[in-house]
């Protein structure tokens, strides 16, 4: 079992990437309500990430979405982030809003449109070079809404071909992540719909291509921790999008609805990755992907990091040796009890100590609510 000092060390070095879009205006397909304090451009998003990092010391970088975060000068953007102690993280090309992509982007039958999607991705690789980002995070919504609309095989081949062209443009130390999602915006079929499809493609496309698991992208009841284990074993788990869901891809605060599932996922992750390592992001990219529709953005991100730290701490409490023994003895009750023992431990005291030792506020959410700098920022933006 891990010593308390080691657990604390690990939590101290556990960092997660925050999404620029988590600080900006967002909504549902019905309406995007205005939330006081929301960031109005990518610079304000970086300011917010820096503010969150100042309070939590748990932010590794800011993921950006293109074209949402398009700017004239990406070097300047990178420098702006660096001045605030942050890096630019994963670059996410957006294939779902352009009018031309009505019938698909990287798999479109129309060669001009397909080329446009490829070129748009090349542009993102350029942005990665300017911002020193190492992760190209691809979510491709292409699919179909009705039986007969597309020829599955042909569409998949077109997608594969586009991805091959893109992979050739990646530099050696760049990784392309393929994020799968089983439905939405297409409601009948999605080309990259599950971990298996993403795995097949990442195998074919080579070492620089891996799979990204978004917690909201599976049918109900899917055993995500098993997917995590399989992909890790095959060295193809490249990244995570953390969020929570009840019905579909709800993008709610991570750990809000299914904390035990999240814990079980961390239990698997720990077997393959040292999530606290400095070089963590080179091995696995950990990113929040949430849409805080009704919550104020900064407290929502702080809450998310809090939930992740709590879950990570609990997972580190698992006695893996004892668990192995129980499994060997076919002691099913004991095996489950070992997991429960860790899960049910109140780790908030450990987190408080970690924060004290780092000189951070112990109650991060309360701190934001009482922080003049925060409220001044909220007033200035309205
Ligand atoms: C998708 C997917 C992507 C995210 C977009 C906004 O469902 O999760 O990662 O970039 O939404
Ligand atoms: Mn996602
Ligand atoms: Mn999603």
């Amino acid at each position: 079992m891990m010593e308390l000092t080691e657990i604390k060390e690990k939590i101290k070095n556990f960092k997660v990437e925050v999404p620029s879009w988590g600080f900006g205006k967002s909504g549902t397909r019905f309406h995007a309500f205005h939330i006081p304090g929301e960031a109005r451009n990518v610079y304000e998003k970086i300011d917010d990430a820096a503010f969150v990092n100042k309070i939590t010391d748990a932010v590794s970088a800011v993921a950006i979405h293109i074209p949402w975060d398009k700017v004239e000068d990406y070097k300047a953007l990178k420098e702006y982030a660096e001045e605030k102690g942050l890096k630019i993280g994963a670059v996410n090309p957006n294939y779902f809003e352009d009018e031309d992509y009505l019938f698909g982007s990287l798999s479109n039958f129309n060669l001009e449109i397909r080329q446009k999607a490829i070129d748009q991705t090349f542009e993102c690789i350029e942005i990665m070079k300017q911002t020193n980002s190492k992760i190209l995070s691809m979510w491709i919504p292409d699919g179909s809404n009705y039986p007969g609309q597309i020829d599955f095989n042909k569409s998949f081949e077109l997608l594969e071909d586009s991805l091959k062209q893109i992979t050739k443009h990646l530099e050696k130390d760049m990784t392309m992540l393929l994020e799968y999602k089983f439905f939405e915006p297409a409601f009948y079929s999605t080309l990259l719909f599950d971990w298996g499809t993403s795995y097949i493609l990442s195998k074919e496309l080579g070492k620089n291509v891996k799979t990204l698991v978004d917690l909201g992208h599976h049918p109900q009841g899917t055993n995500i921790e098993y997917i995590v284990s399989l992909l890790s074993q095959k060295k193809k788990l490249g990244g995570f999008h953390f969020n929570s869901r009840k019905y579909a891809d709800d993008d709610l605060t991570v750990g809000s609805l299914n904390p035990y599932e999240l814990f079980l996922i961390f239990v698997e992750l720990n077997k393959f990755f040292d999530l606290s390592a400095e070089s963590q992001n080179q091995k696995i990219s950990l990113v929040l992907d949430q849409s805080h529709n009704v919550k104020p953005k900064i407290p929502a991100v702080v809450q998310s990091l809090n939930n992740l730290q709590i879950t990570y701490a609990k997972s580190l409490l698992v006695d893996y040796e004892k668990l192995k023994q129980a499994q060997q003895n076919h002691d099913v009750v004991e095996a489950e009890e070992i997991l429960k023992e860790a899960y049910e431990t109140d780790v908030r005291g450990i987190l408080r100590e970690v924060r004290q030792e780092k000189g951070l506020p112990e109650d991060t959410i309360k701190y934001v609510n009482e922080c003049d700098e925060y409220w001044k920022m909220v007033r200035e933006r309205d």
Side-chain angles (χ1 to χ4, degrees), residues 79 111 119 129 155 215 221 228 258 267 275-276 281 295 315 326 329 331 349 351 359 371:
E79 279 157 22
L111 285 185
D119 289 344
K129 289 180 194 161
S155 294
L215 296 182
V228 167
N258 42 5
V267 171
L275 299 178
S276 78
N281 281 333
K295 283 179 178 173
S315 72
N329 298 339
D331 193 341
L351 283 194
C371 176

Side-chain angles (χ1 to χ4, degrees), residues 45-196:
K45 292 171 187 173
I46 289 172
D47 291 344
D48 291 0
F51 179 75
V52 170
N53 194 34
K54 199 169 83 182
I55 299 165
T56 61
D57 193 32
V59 178
S60 59
V62 185
I64 57 173
H65 225 294
I66 303 294
W68 295 342
D69 296 322
K70 253 191 171 180
V71 289
E72 283 290 311
D73 186 344
Y74 289 97
K75 277 219 169 88
L77 185 72
K78 171 188 162 247
E79 279 157 22
Y80 188 79
E82 280 170 356
E83 272 163 33
K84 306 214 156 215
L86 293 172
K87 285 188 252 172
I88 301 295
V91 174
N92 295 250
N94 177 325
Y95 303 106
F96 51 89
E97 279 184 333
D98 197 302
E99 285 290 316
D100 282 343
Y101 299 155
L102 172 62
F103 295 118
S105 58
L106 291 171
S107 75
N108 202 305
F109 279 27
N110 178 319
L111 285 185
E112 248 170 66
I113 295 175
R114 188 163 75 102
Q115 194 56 47
K116 176 174 169 173
I118 295 171
D119 289 344
Q120 180 199 331
T121 319
F122 289 158
E123 191 190 324
C124 284
I125 296 177
E126 242 348 278
I127 295 172
M128 289 169 72
K129 289 180 194 161
Q130 313 251 331
T131 55
N132 198 26
S133 161
K134 301 296 171 203
I135 305 275
L136 179 67
S137 200
M138 313 262 291
W139 172 62
I140 302 140
D142 295 22
S144 68
N145 275 273
Y146 295 97
Q149 184 185 326
I150 57 167
D151 178 318
F152 297 138
N153 190 35
K154 182 76 196 146
S155 294
F156 193 77
E157 268 174 20
L158 288 167
L159 173 63
E160 221 172 354
D161 181 76
S162 300
L163 292 175
K164 266 189 198 138
Q165 294 185 44
I166 294 162
T167 320
K168 285 200 192 109
H169 274 70
L170 291 176
E171 291 186 342
K172 266 211 180 90
D173 60 348
M174 290 179 175
T175 302
M176 182 206 276
L177 297 179
L178 292 176
E179 175 179 4
Y180 59 89
K181 169 163 155 171
F182 80 117
F183 91 113
E184 198 193 38
F187 292 111
Y188 169 60
S189 74
T190 299
L191 290 179
L192 209 53
F193 81 106
D194 72 352
W195 71 272

Side-chain angles (χ1 to χ4, degrees), residues 179 181 214 217 243 249 251 289:
E179 175 179 4
K181 169 163 155 171
D214 181 310
H217 288 190
N243 51 50
D249 185 20
D251 283 336
D289 180 12

Side-chain angles (χ1 to χ4, degrees), residues 178-234:
L178 292 176
E179 175 179 4
Y180 59 89
K181 169 163 155 171
F182 80 117
F183 91 113
E184 198 193 38
F187 292 111
Y188 169 60
S189 74
T190 299
L191 290 179
L192 209 53
F193 81 106
D194 72 352
W195 71 272
T197 335
S198 174
Y199 177 77
I200 293 172
L201 282 174
S202 67
K203 269 292 264 191
E204 268 170 22
L205 294 166
K207 258 198 7 246
N208 289 18
V209 184
K210 292 185 174 174
T211 298
L212 182 143
V213 175
D214 181 310
L215 296 182
H217 288 190
H218 309 83
Q220 297 281 7
T222 302
N223 187 327
I224 303 175
E225 53 272 29
Y226 183 43
I227 296 174
V228 167
S229 167
L230 279 172
L231 287 172
S232 306
Q233 234 179 81
K234 301 293 174 199

